[in-house]
């Protein structure tokens, strides 16, 4: 890959980060709205299923009432924008995070390959200045590669 491809990937990653920042602000507002959703059980505000179940466990409400309160709470949360445990904007942020991570890894891989190519070119120039043929250079590169693999296997 050339520099133009690397630059394009970095630009896309940076744009995704800007979009993610926008959605992070929106997600914070949605989270605040969802966190303020409750149902009244025996005059007390219950924000979670477990709080409702505590009332049931204490024999203040029946199982049937508990189920109705939980259903009502879940409907309110869905109306406020929460699906399962994330809001819509939190889901968008999660998807963007995964995409940004993938782009960052791809950029890193490209940079590593470019560095390796430059180092190989430098080694070839050194070998040429010492009078090595290309065949001898390739043999030295192979020996070096095998040595590195051996060191990795042995944990050196």
């Amino acid at each position: 890959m050339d520099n133009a491809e690397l630059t394009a990937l970095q630009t896309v990653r940076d744009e995704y980060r800007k979009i993610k920042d926008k959605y992070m602000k929106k997600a914070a507002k949605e989270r605040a709205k969802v966190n303020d959703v409750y149902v009244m059980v025996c005059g007390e505000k219950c924000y979670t299923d477990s709080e409702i179940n505590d009332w049931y466990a204490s024999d203040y409400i029946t199982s049937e009432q508990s189920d109705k309160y939980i259903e009502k709470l879940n409907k309110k949360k869905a109306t406020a924008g929460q699906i399962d445990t994330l809001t819509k904007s939190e889901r968008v942020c999660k998807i963007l995070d995964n995409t940004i991570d993938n782009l960052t890894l791809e950029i890193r891989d490209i940079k590593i390959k470019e560095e390796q190519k430059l180092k190989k070119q430098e080694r070839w120039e050194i070998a040429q200045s010492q009078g090595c043929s290309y065949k001898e250079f390739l043999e030295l590169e192979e020996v070096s590669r095998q040595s590195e693999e051996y060191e990795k296997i042995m944990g050196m």
Side-chain angles (χ1 to χ4, degrees), residues 37-78:
V37 172
Y38 61 88
V39 292
M40 294 294 284
V41 178
C42 298
E44 295 286 328
K45 293 179 181 179
C46 293
Y47 294 91
T48 64
D49 297 0
S50 63
E51 290 176 356
I52 295 169
N53 286 327
D54 289 344
W55 282 98
Y56 169 66
S58 301
D59 287 332
Y60 285 103
I61 59 174
T62 66
S63 173
E64 196 174 295
Q65 289 173 315
S66 173
D67 292 341
K68 285 182 183 178
Y69 283 127
I70 289 173
E71 186 178 324
K72 185 176 179 181
L73 180 64
N74 288 336
K75 282 182 183 176
K76 284 184 167 186
K77 285 184 178 182

Side-chain angles (χ1 to χ4, degrees), residues 17-28:
R17 284 180 176 159
K18 289 177 188 174
I19 294 169
K20 182 186 166 221
D21 289 342
K22 173 185 151 190
Y23 275 93
M24 288 291 290
K25 292 174 187 171
K26 191 173 179 181

